[in-house]
Amino acid sequence: MGTLAEEVQKQLVATLAPYMGKVSFGNLRFQTSEWTEGDRHYVNIAIVYETPGSSTNQLNITIDESEGILTFVDGEAERRTGDVNEAIRFVEEAVRSIPERRLERLRETVRRWASQGRSRAEVLAELNRLLRADLIGGTITHHELKATIQYCLQLFSTPSEERVESR
């Protein structure tokens, strides 16, 4: 790895250490790969995490060693910079939103189960199973369970035809 990539990785590890491996941050971890195209050398650092239901998601920083450009990709959004600190801020901002992304995935799942005709009791039983799941990132925290149960109770307190329309 070139010096820019080493600097980025060192700063990422220091900045993201408090979030690494925690269920509420989807068992956050890194995967690094590198390749060469012609005379240009690239390093990609994937910041990988799970959302409940064991979907794997990732944020990416691709470092163009030749140009000194860092490209941060979060889903469809892409930001380019030559400033390592700015790239690290992009990543940390996205990582801090992981708990909310996880809760939104849980809400989507509850809405899907409700639209499939599952009863409130069946949905609550499924949520309890997620709490006890074996996959570290695919499981949910007690906080996520509580928030999702509150959402579920709200959702099931509205008539079913309104639930379908508000999706």
Side-chain angles (χ1 to χ4, degrees):
M1 266 199 280
T3 56
L4 182 59
E6 288 169 351
E7 178 61 25
V8 170
Q9 196 152 17
K10 188 174 85 182
Q11 284 198 38
L12 270 178
V13 169
T15 302
L16 300 183
Y19 312 105
M20 301 291 289
K22 292 188 174 172
V23 171
S24 57
F25 288 90
N27 189 28
L28 190 73
R29 59 206 180 275
F30 299 109
Q31 293 174 343
T32 304
S33 57
E34 49 188 301
W35 69 95
T36 303
E37 288 178 17
D39 60 349
R40 296 180 71 171
H41 183 75
Y42 298 93
V43 176
N44 186 73
I45 303 170
I47 300 107
V48 182
Y49 66 97
E50 276 98 29
T51 50
S54 69
S55 291
T56 301
N57 304 270
Q58 70 183 49
L59 310 165
N60 287 285
I61 290 187
T62 302
I63 301 123
D64 179 337
E65 288 284 358
S66 312
E67 299 289 323
I69 299 293
L70 299 100
T71 304
F72 173 65
V73 179
D74 179 4
E76 301 296 309
E78 188 175 295
R79 296 162 134 174
R80 294 169 53 91
T81 182
D83 181 349
V84 173
N85 292 325
E86 187 177 24
I88 299 298
R89 277 195 308 277
F90 295 157
V91 173
E92 187 174 21
E93 201 176 281
V95 165
R96 286 176 182 245
S97 75
I98 290 173
E100 183 54 39
R101 293 175 191 214
R102 289 173 52 84
L103 276 173
E104 183 49 39
R105 176 64 59 89
L106 281 166
R107 290 187 287 260
E108 286 170 16
T109 301
V110 167
R111 287 191 299 271
R112 187 181 71 246
W113 288 338
S115 72
Q116 291 169 346
R118 294 194 192 183
S119 69
R120 181 171 65 182
E122 288 171 323
V123 170
L124 294 174
E126 286 293 331
L127 290 173
N128 268 315
R129 269 195 279 291
L130 282 176
L131 183 65
R132 296 187 309 272
D134 289 338
L135 285 169
I136 293 173
T139 189
I140 61 175
T141 66
H142 287 281
H143 168 75
E144 288 171 332
L145 177 64
K146 182 180 173 190
T148 307
I149 286 173
Q150 288 172 337
Y151 179 78
C152 179
L153 296 176
Q154 246 183 332
L155 184 70
F156 277 91
S157 70
T158 61
S160 60
E161 58 277 355
E162 284 181 39
R163 276 200 308 259
V164 173
E165 289 171 15
S166 68
R167 287 175 50 211

